[in-house]
Structure formats: C-alpha cells, structure tokens
Amino acid sequence: MLKVSNISFQYTPKKEILSNISFTLNAGQHLCIMGESGSGKSTLLKAVYGLLDLKGGTVFWKDQQVLGPSFHLVPGMDFFKYVAQDFDLMPFITVAENVGKYLSNIYPEKKQSRISELLEIVEMTEYSNVKAKFLSGGQQQRVALAKVLALEPELLLLDEPFSQIDNFRKNSLRRKLFSYLKSKEITCLVATHDSSDSLSFADETIVLNAGKIVIKEKSDQLFNNPNTKYVASLFGDVNELKVSQLIEVESSDETILLFPHQLKIVKSGKLKVKIKQNYFKGSHYLIEAEANEVSIFFEHNCELKKNSEVFLSHIK
C-alpha cells in the first residue's frame, strides 16, 4: 500500500506547490491525478518517487518510508518506476537495447522473449533494431513505457504517458498497457489532463487545484456527480444553470452542472436559446447556443441553422 500523509512542498519560500496532500493507494489499484496545468500533478509524482525533499509530511510504501535526495545519493526508489515527460532513453542504442537495458544477460533467450513481449504491448515491434535517436516523440514515449515495465515495478508512476502519441494509436495502447498492469497487479499512479485515462482505466481519481486535493472519488461517480464547475470542466464542456431556467421551482433555486449530452431539444420549455455555432464531432454535433448572453452547449444529431431558436430540457 502507498500511504501519502499530509505532504507539502515548495520550490521557493513564498510559493507552496503542494499543500497537505493525503491519500492511500492499495496494491494493484490504479489512481489518476487530474487538474489544470500548474495544479501540482507532476510535482506530486516526483514527491512520491522520492525526487524531492518535502517541507512536511511522509510517504510510505508498505512499511518503508520514501525519502528525498537529502537521504539518497541516487534519488528515487528501486521498487518504483517513473516515466517523466523527457523519456530518459539512450539515443545511440536500439529500441530493443533500451528496453532490455536492465535485464540480465545470463539467459539471453529469456531476455529477448521479455523484450519482444514488451515491444508488442507498446506496439513497437517493427522498430526493435532502430536507434532511439531516429524515433518520433510519440515512439520514444512508447519505448520509455516498455523500458520501465521490464523489471515489473511494484508501483508505476506515469506523467502524461500518452501526451505525444497519435490519437489513432492512443486508445489501443491504453487498453493494452492498463490491462497488462492489472494482470500483473502493478499499482499505478497516473498524472494526466486526459479524462479518458481516468474514466476508462482508473479505479479512483484525485483532482488537484493550486496544490490541494479538491476531491478523491471513484472515477465514474466523479463524472456523474462533479462537486464544482472546475471538476466538471476537466471532463469537457459544462453548463452551469439554475434549476429555475429549466423547470418551475417553489423553494430554493439551486445551481446545477450539466454536460452537453444532458441537454436535449424539446418542443417547448423554459430554456430558450439562440444557435450560434455547430461543431461536427463525428457521431453528433456539439451546438453552441446563447441565452441571456451566456454560452450553452448541447449535443444534437444534425446541424442547426445559425440564429434560429430552440427550447432545451434536461435529460435525466
């Protein structure tokens, strides 16, 4: 189990990057860290890995405390693996040699089999004999993932692991990688801006804002019941509406958060909007409309005429 207790960190005395962060992560569990740029996601991974000297708090993996560079000649923990955004590959050796760098040479056939297995997971088999310096950024990112899996770490820390990978390959790679990690019961902590990493593959998600935890919740519950507009906006466009804009209310007029797919066109209703723009999304159109000079987004199956007016209702 990973236990992070009240950790704080700052690069300068006047600016705290992490503030009283606490959470636990069970063995084999996958946890996603989300938040806007500058919220502290990458710094939190570095702190957990042991690359930073904390201002306060502790990090434990099982019964062993994770300490920073003041306590270790070589920062970081042997039983953790960390994939940063700079990949750390050796440019003048091949892809296979990079992946197998830390594997034993005593049994060469076993080593080669392991390298082949990992390259298949990250879909880089055909580049086995290509030197790393000739790879694109996305290809280097995939090799870096294979490299850290070679010795099967107890905890894997991934910082924006698919940021440079093409969309057509990203989904397949995500499925293969997280399925492999689950099958090997490798605990995983992922910092990402991509909600697909959270919704499809993380057991739980932490949301950071200005170095503090806003919420920690099961990923599906977080999406279905976001507690603030900031949290909801991490999953895409979101509308902030008063209940009275949709239905008659007799008592308190609450504010609700609705994603575009939760609004539909109806023949009549309280919320009348004017169409401003259509965005084709493949399976549907994202429609940008306006009501009382406030933008409202909803989904529809076809393009709508600009400046036309329609009524919207909440899909429950």
Side-chain angles (χ1 to χ4, degrees):
M1 173 189 285
L2 176 70
K3 187 173 183 180
V4 177
S5 302
N6 298 311
I7 66 170
S8 297
F9 176 78
Q10 56 190 57
Y11 288 107
T12 62
K14 294 184 179 180
K15 184 171 178 59
E16 197 167 55
I17 308 301
L18 299 176
S19 180
N20 297 318
I21 301 291
S22 297
F23 64 90
T24 59
L25 182 59
N26 294 323
Q29 189 179 17
H30 293 177
L31 178 66
C32 187
I33 304 169
M34 293 186 67
E36 64 183 356
S37 297
S39 60
K41 301 188 299 295
S42 296
T43 303
L44 179 54
L45 287 191
K46 292 175 183 177
V48 170
Y49 187 55
L51 294 179
L52 305 174
D53 290 317
L54 301 175
K55 174 188 173 186
T58 58
V59 177
F60 275 88
W61 176 252
K62 299 177 182 176
D63 295 325
Q64 183 169 348
Q65 186 172 0
V66 178
L67 299 171
S70 295
F71 299 87
H72 294 285
L73 182 62
V74 180
M77 308 303 289
D78 291 339
F79 39 83
F80 294 173
K81 288 299 177 184
Y82 170 51
V83 181
Q85 296 183 47
D86 57 5
F87 309 146
D88 190 30
L89 300 179
M90 297 185 69
F92 298 105
I93 63 175
T94 67
V95 165
E97 289 168 335
N98 268 285
V99 173
K101 182 180 177 182
Y102 300 113
L103 294 175
S104 172
N105 291 315
I106 296 177
Y107 302 102
E109 291 184 0
K110 185 176 181 180
K111 177 178 179 177
Q112 186 54 52
S113 176
R114 178 67 174 150
I115 292 171
S116 297
E117 177 189 17
L118 294 169
L119 289 180
E120 185 175 349
I121 291 171
V122 299
E123 300 178 355
M124 285 293 289
T125 301
E126 61 187 291
Y127 295 93
S128 176
N129 297 315
V130 176
K131 290 184 178 179
K133 68 176 183 177
F134 296 120
L135 301 177
S136 68
Q139 290 169 336
Q140 290 182 33
Q141 193 165 36
R142 285 147 61 194
V143 175
L145 288 169
K147 179 183 173 183
V148 298
L149 291 175
L151 295 177
E152 291 191 2
E154 295 180 37
L155 173 65
L156 182 60
L157 306 165
L158 303 175
D159 191 359
E160 301 287 1
F162 312 107
S163 61
Q164 296 195 39
I165 297 172
D166 298 325
N167 284 332
F168 77 91
R169 193 179 297 275
K170 187 182 297 186
N171 291 332
S172 172
L173 179 58
R174 265 195 290 235
R175 287 191 291 267
K176 286 184 177 181
L177 175 63
F178 288 116
S179 176
Y180 176 83
L181 296 178
K182 279 293 186 182
S183 70
K184 298 294 183 179
E185 297 185 342
I186 296 174
T187 311
C188 186
L189 188 58
V190 184
T192 182
H193 67 278
D194 189 340
S195 61
S196 296
D197 296 334
S198 168
L199 295 178
S200 299
F201 304 104
D203 300 302
E204 289 189 303
T205 295
I206 282 176
V207 175
L208 290 184
N209 188 16
K212 297 179 180 179
I213 292 181
V214 175
I215 190 170
K216 178 177 181 283
E217 185 59 89
K218 289 184 177 179
S219 301
D220 58 344
Q221 294 180 15
L222 191 65
F223 176 79
N224 290 323
N225 300 288
N227 62 341
T228 66
K229 188 175 182 180
Y230 172 77
V231 171
S233 67
L234 297 175
F235 298 98
D237 296 302
V238 62
N239 303 294
E240 189 174 33
L241 300 171
K242 292 288 188 180
V243 173
S244 61
Q245 291 180 266
L246 298 166
I247 60 173
E248 295 291 341
V249 293
E250 296 180 358
S251 55
S252 61
D253 190 8
E254 297 181 356
T255 298
I256 58 173
L257 300 170
L258 297 176
F259 293 109
H261 71 272
Q262 294 177 298
L263 290 172
K264 67 175 181 178
I265 293 177
V266 292
K267 290 183 178 180
S268 63
K270 291 204 66 181
L271 182 56
K272 183 164 72 171
V273 300
K274 179 181 288 188
I275 308 303
K276 290 298 181 182
Q277 191 57 265
N278 296 270
Y279 303 98
F280 182 57
K281 294 294 183 178
S283 61
H284 63 276
Y285 281 85
L286 176 67
I287 312 296
E288 181 180 2
E290 185 179 87
N292 299 322
E293 298 184 350
V294 175
S295 291
I296 294 177
F297 295 89
F298 65 97
E299 293 181 0
H300 196 57
N301 59 1
C302 64
E303 193 171 4
L304 298 176
K305 185 178 179 181
K306 290 183 182 180
N307 296 319
S308 63
E309 293 183 331
V310 297
F311 292 99
L312 297 178
S313 179
H314 177 203
I315 300 175
K316 296 182 180 180

